[in-house]
Amino acid sequence: MSYGYHNKILHVDLTTGSIRIEEPGNEFYRTYMGGQAMGLYYLLKYLPPKIDALSKENILTITLSPITGIPISGQSRVVMSAKSPLTNAIGTSEAGGFWPAEAKRTGFDGFIIYGKAKKPVFLWIHDGQVEIRSASHLCGKPTGETEDLIRNELEDSKIQVLQTGIAGENLVRYASAINMCSRANGRTGMGAVMGSKNLKAIAVRGKQKIDVFDQPKLKELSRWGADNFKNSGAYGTGISGTAGLVSIQQMVGGLATKNWSSGVFDGAESISGEKMSETILIARETCFGCIVRCKRVVEVKDKNYQVDPRYGGPEFETIGAFGSLCGVSNLNAIAKAHELCCKYGMDTITTGSIIAWVMDLFEKGILTQEQTDGIQLRFGNADAMIELIHKIAKRDALGDLLAEGMDSAARKLGTQATKNALSVKGNPLPLHLPQNKRSMALIYAVNPYGADHQSSEHDVFYMEQSERMTALNLTKPQTLTSLNEEKVRFTMVTQRLASFLNTACLCQFVWGAAWQLYDTQQMVEMINAVTGWDLDLKECLLIGERSINMMRSFNKREGFTRADDKLPEKLFLPLKGGPTDGVKLDHNEIDSAISTYYLLSGWDENGSPTPQKLAELQLSWINEDFK
């Protein structure tokens, strides 16, 4: 008997309208589990190399895990994967909300989408049944209206909807997939892949039971979380969200400002989490079954930047992207930018980063007012920022160029534009300064889907010994700016933990990582209580390592080499102002760290897994299939 999973994967071919159900078996789940690794398995097995990411040949995987939907905090997560239309590398993205748990109760553990429908459609999946329905009447609608229309059509207000928005319909290469109008599979353009397939949405409703191996143990752990939440690292996240990081980063000189020219922002206080709590914050929302309630909900009644609370509220990355990075100190305008990205379905980090970049180009005279359609794209111009969001989503004038992504736009705008671009593999940098957190520099460079801040733990958590680091066999704490072999090992090991959490579909704010509610041992106990397996932490890290090697293997067959693990030149120029004045990265240090990371990972000089490493991870079939 299977526990925690249904042993059913749904395959839908939108070109032919065919539907089949696969029952892969217990060994498959023990090896790939769910989430990230499960999706990668289907991409490596069935996706032809070097196809156009926006063609019907691309495959979209939407995967859950054995833990999804069980009654404990931090488990309602979904992973979407495909070839990224933004980077042309592997694309993968995670989101929370209520959609994942509801999708699991339909009786499926994953959804593999092939082909392209002739006209827009949405999938209606309910209690093991699947329908492909027309979505022509949903096109051109903001996400909130689309969600309402689907629920009204299907006569059930409890239906959960995962959808692509107007930006995805228009194939903006960093379009998000949105559920609950505020939970985003944001990075790498999964909404654009949905749009390219004429797949407007996936509506789910289910009552299928999820069997658990050891119900008393699961209840014990769930009760422990409720009893200990207020004394845990997750409590502050619940109360302040990640917006509380604005003040902390400003204090240490780590707040990315004006397209990464500085680590301090004069207007930081006015866009801080504290200011949000005092002014526009009206509620905290949660994901299914989670006690943390970390999601911000804001309401702005200012007629210039009116914001509907249905679309949630900005977290740290969004505040940084539309705030300090663009030089904007108007919190209402930042909240409006967030709302528009949720309505249109666009990644906030990428959108804000691209706008900050073109503001920098405009300030330097590289981009003229004629090229910007008359918009004064200067740092701090909140109205210009809002106008450009509309233009990108609708592919209007300059927005059409920027919708192609930072790297593509930079190539068309010339050498000076490229020098000021901040991306890795085409994916713009998140809002944590790698100059000040050296392991971030390394993970930004080597992460398979481009720069990402949630793919390993941050340096600050290894500055002193902790039980969590000891459990991971990390026992030599390092300084914030060190990047020696031990810091590289810290990056590699915590990357494997983060990758495992993405495969188990567990929230990093609850399970085993920074600011967690439960530690790694409790994580292992919980998984075993659900599945009846005998996992230990070593096997969890091995599953995470397996997933990372699958992503690097995918990139290898797409033609990626060490040359693509390259950081933007601007990071090697000194920051200006505040505690990090004059701080910069060093080419030799970064190059040495990348070589060490490859060596410790068991990869060749191009950062590709060796045959020996793939065999060790039960992945020899990848090379055999590739041949």
Side-chain angles (χ1 to χ4, degrees):
M1 182 176 179
S2 60
Y3 295 99
Y5 55 91
H6 301 291
N7 192 30
K8 291 184 179 179
I9 307 295
L10 178 66
H11 295 255
V12 179
D13 189 325
L14 295 173
T15 301
T16 64
S18 64
I19 294 167
R20 70 179 178 91
I21 297 172
E22 175 193 7
E23 297 182 358
N26 293 340
E27 185 178 347
F28 173 83
Y29 285 90
R30 184 66 184 258
T31 304
Y32 303 105
M33 194 168 189
Q36 192 177 81
M38 182 189 285
L40 292 166
Y41 170 84
Y42 287 103
L43 293 177
L44 285 163
K45 275 286 185 181
Y46 301 119
L47 182 67
K50 300 185 179 178
I51 53 96
D52 181 345
L54 292 177
S55 70
K56 67 179 181 180
E57 284 77 21
N58 205 355
I59 296 172
L60 177 64
T61 68
I62 304 168
T63 44
L64 311 169
S65 90
I67 316 305
T68 311
I70 66 168
I72 199 165
S73 293
Q75 45 62 39
S76 188
R77 305 282 294 173
V78 60
V79 179
M80 299 179 71
S81 300
K83 181 175 181 178
S84 169
L86 180 64
T87 67
N88 287 314
I90 186 62
T92 185
S93 181
E94 306 81 38
F98 279 65
W99 191 93
E102 194 68 39
K104 182 70 172 288
R105 294 180 189 276
T106 65
F108 299 106
D109 304 310
F111 312 89
I112 317 300
I113 313 297
Y114 308 84
K116 177 180 180 178
K118 292 181 179 178
K119 295 181 180 180
V121 298
F122 75 93
L123 297 181
W124 168 220
I125 304 172
H126 51 104
D127 285 325
Q129 305 299 309
V130 186
E131 298 178 42
I132 302 175
R133 301 174 70 110
S134 172
S136 296
H137 59 300
L138 304 174
C139 294
K141 303 286 195 301
T143 53
E145 187 175 346
T146 296
E147 188 174 81
D148 289 342
L149 287 168
I150 289 175
R151 286 174 173 169
N152 290 338
E153 179 179 334
L154 300 175
E155 300 180 330
D156 189 341
S157 63
K158 294 184 179 180
I159 285 170
Q160 295 297 324
V161 178
L162 175 68
Q163 60 175 299
T164 190
I166 294 169
E169 293 174 25
N170 291 330
L171 303 184
V172 175
R173 289 182 180 268
Y174 40 96
S176 304
I178 302 283
N179 80 86
M180 295 183 70
C181 298
S182 61
R183 311 304 205 270
N185 289 89
R187 313 227 66 198
T188 69
M190 296 300 100
V193 176
M194 287 183 72
S196 72
K197 294 183 170 299
N198 272 334
L199 178 60
K200 178 62 179 171
I202 303 175
V204 294
R205 186 80 167 99
K207 299 178 182 178
Q208 300 294 304
K209 182 182 177 183
I210 303 170
D211 291 313
V212 172
F213 176 75
D214 188 345
Q215 192 71 50
K217 180 63 176 179
L218 184 62
K219 286 183 177 180
E220 175 191 322
L221 286 165
S222 183
R223 187 165 50 249
W224 184 94
D227 292 344
N228 289 274
F229 170 56
K230 288 189 176 180
N231 298 317
S232 74
Y235 183 69
T237 307
I239 298 303
S240 304
T242 59
L245 284 173
V246 173
S247 297
I248 296 172
Q249 294 292 358
Q250 171 74 1
M251 181 176 64
V252 300
L255 188 60
T257 298
K258 294 184 177 179
N259 198 34
W260 297 83
S261 62
S262 176
V264 291
F265 178 48
D266 290 341
E269 184 178 352
S270 63
I271 64 172
S272 66
E274 295 83 356
K275 180 61 68 175
M276 184 191 298
S277 295
E278 294 169 7
T279 55
I280 62 175
L281 185 71
I282 63 168
R284 293 158 50 207
E285 281 189 350
T286 188
C287 299
F288 174 84
C290 188
I291 196 174
V292 178
R293 303 186 67 86
C294 67
K295 289 296 293 181
R296 307 295 88 190
V297 181
V298 305
E299 182 176 31
V300 178
K301 296 181 179 180
D302 175 357
K303 64 179 181 181
N304 295 319
Y305 303 113
Q306 191 169 356
V307 174
D308 183 347
R310 178 173 191 172
Y311 295 94
E315 298 288 347
F316 169 73
E317 295 293 327
T318 303
I319 293 171
F322 290 117
S324 57
L325 205 64
C326 290
V328 171
S329 57
N330 187 323
L331 186 58
N332 290 351
I334 295 167
K336 184 64 180 180
H338 170 268
E339 181 208 54
L340 288 174
C341 284
C342 289
K343 279 185 172 180
Y344 284 130
M346 289 199 301
D347 179 46
T348 58
I349 296 175
T350 309
T351 305
S353 296
I354 283 179
I355 293 173
W357 170 62
V358 294
M359 284 179 167
D360 197 9
L361 299 183
F362 188 86
E363 294 268 6
K364 289 180 166 68
I366 299 168
L367 201 60
T368 67
Q369 194 164 335
E370 182 179 358
Q371 291 172 294
T372 64
D373 315 315
I375 305 173
Q376 288 281 330
L377 279 173
R378 297 198 178 279
F379 287 125
N381 189 339
D383 289 341
M385 177 180 74
I386 297 299
E387 186 176 355
L388 202 50
I389 293 172
H390 288 294
K391 285 183 173 291
I392 292 170
K394 297 175 182 178
R395 282 189 171 266
D396 177 22
L398 176 63
D400 186 43
L401 174 65
L402 301 182
E404 290 296 299
M406 187 180 288
D407 280 20
S408 177
R411 286 192 293 270
K412 292 179 181 177
L413 291 173
T415 303
Q416 291 303 312
T418 301
K419 287 182 178 179
N420 287 278
L422 276 295
S423 65
V424 178
K425 302 180 183 72
N427 206 11
L429 271 58
L431 280 297
H432 293 265
L433 267 68
Q435 302 97 314
N436 200 37
K437 297 179 179 180
R438 291 300 164 87
S439 79
M440 288 287 98
L442 175 59
I443 201 66
Y444 284 2
V446 301
N447 192 54
Y449 46 94
D452 182 66
H453 62 297
Q454 293 292 104
S455 289
S456 66
E457 293 211 22
H458 295 210
D459 305 65
V460 66
F461 297 110
Y462 197 36
M463 293 179 68
E464 58 184 39
Q465 197 61 41
S466 65
E467 290 183 10
R468 187 157 50 87
M469 291 297 109
T470 301
L472 295 170
N473 196 29
L474 293 166
T475 58
K476 301 175 182 177
Q478 300 293 309
T479 63
L480 196 66
T481 56
S482 66
L483 196 55
N484 54 22
E485 182 174 331
E486 179 62 16
K487 182 64 77 68
V488 172
R489 196 171 73 86
F490 159 79
T491 306
M492 181 187 70
V493 171
T494 60
Q495 183 189 19
R496 290 173 182 175
L497 176 60
S499 185
F500 172 75
L501 291 170
N502 289 341
T503 292
C505 295
L506 292 173
C507 177
Q508 292 187 20
F509 292 158
V510 180
W511 292 99
W515 304 340
Q516 82 281 359
L517 173 58
Y518 295 99
D519 63 26
T520 50
Q521 181 56 38
Q522 290 170 309
M523 175 187 73
V524 171
E525 291 174 3
M526 181 272 296
I527 294 170
N528 288 337
V530 172
T531 61
W533 296 342
D534 57 352
L535 279 176
D536 56 17
L537 183 57
K538 182 178 179 181
E539 186 174 349
C540 292
L541 294 175
L542 188 71
I543 293 170
E545 183 183 4
R546 183 176 293 128
S547 182
I548 293 165
N549 278 264
M550 292 169 81
M551 288 190 282
R552 294 293 301 204
S553 295
F554 182 99
N555 285 0
K556 176 185 177 181
R557 64 176 215 171
E558 296 302 314
F560 283 75
T561 67
R562 180 177 180 134
D564 297 290
D565 288 350
K566 181 181 179 182
L567 294 171
E569 282 301 313
K570 196 166 185 179
L571 297 180
F572 298 89
L573 301 176
L575 294 166
K576 298 178 181 179
T580 49
D581 184 60
V583 175
K584 61 180 180 177
L585 294 183
D586 177 79
H587 279 291
N588 290 332
E589 182 181 55
I590 298 300
D591 288 345
S592 175
I594 291 173
S595 294
T596 301
Y597 171 86
Y598 289 174
L599 183 65
L600 294 177
S601 297
W603 299 346
D604 66 21
E605 65 277 5
N606 268 320
S608 297
T610 62
Q612 293 81 4
K613 173 55 67 173
L614 292 180
E616 176 187 322
L617 296 170
Q618 299 173 260
L619 296 173
S620 293
W621 59 265
I622 292 177
N623 277 346
E624 292 166 6
D625 283 7
F626 183 56
K627 289 176 183 177

